[in-house]
Amino acid sequence: MFCGFVKSIPIEIEEAAMIDGCSPLRTFFSVVLPIMKPTYISVGILETMWIWNDFLLPYLTLDLNKFSTIPITIQRMQGSYGRVDMGAIMASLVMAIIPIVVFYLSCQKHIIKGVAAGAVKG
């Protein structure tokens, strides 16, 4: 997303900053970075959603006797030998999904703006 967005920034904006006396570093921090705001907000939101739902890394690294994430707990609720409490599992899934849905809905305009800005234009 970052690459696509930076490629879509017109070079004239950077040239205008250079004519005004900005160094390349100042051009980046004063001109390019503020333009990229929707992109880095949307990347942050999407990464937060990815980390919230992560299963494999916590499963491999955590001491499961002491610590457990929501996806690991839900997986453990399945039990063994076909013994499954579907009501408890579904309630846990809904409780796990609610925070990320609320987070997504509150940040939806930034995600759409950032994804649209990061799309590579032909």
Side-chain angles (χ1 to χ4, degrees):
M1 284 178 59
F2 284 118
C3 182
F5 182 78
V6 171
K7 285 181 181 179
S8 71
I9 295 175
I11 193 71
E12 290 83 13
I13 293 175
E14 294 178 36
E15 290 173 351
M18 287 175 52
I19 289 172
D20 288 342
C22 288
S23 66
L25 195 61
R26 182 159 182 204
T27 300
F28 177 75
F29 285 108
S30 299
V31 177
V32 176
L33 200 61
I35 293 173
M36 291 177 61
K37 181 181 176 185
T39 304
Y40 61 79
I41 288 174
S42 65
V43 167
I45 292 166
L46 293 173
E47 286 298 316
T48 301
M49 291 177 6
W50 179 266
I51 290 168
W52 178 264
N53 292 320
D54 194 16
F55 177 81
L56 184 61
L57 184 64
Y59 191 76
L60 295 174
T61 57
L62 289 178
D63 179 10
L64 297 178
N65 294 325
K66 293 182 183 179
F67 306 106
S68 182
T69 62
I70 294 172
I72 293 171
T73 304
I74 292 171
Q75 188 268 342
R76 282 183 162 186
M77 290 173 75
Q78 289 183 350
S80 58
Y81 304 112
R83 188 177 50 112
V84 178
D85 184 7
M86 290 304 286
I89 291 175
M90 291 302 152
S92 300
L93 287 172
V94 169
M95 288 177 53
I97 290 171
I98 287 174
I100 205 69
V101 168
V102 169
F103 183 67
Y104 174 79
L105 292 175
S106 65
C107 301
Q108 183 177 11
K109 68 177 183 175
H110 296 293
I111 293 173
I112 292 171
K113 212 183 289 184
V115 170
V120 179
K121 295 175 182 154

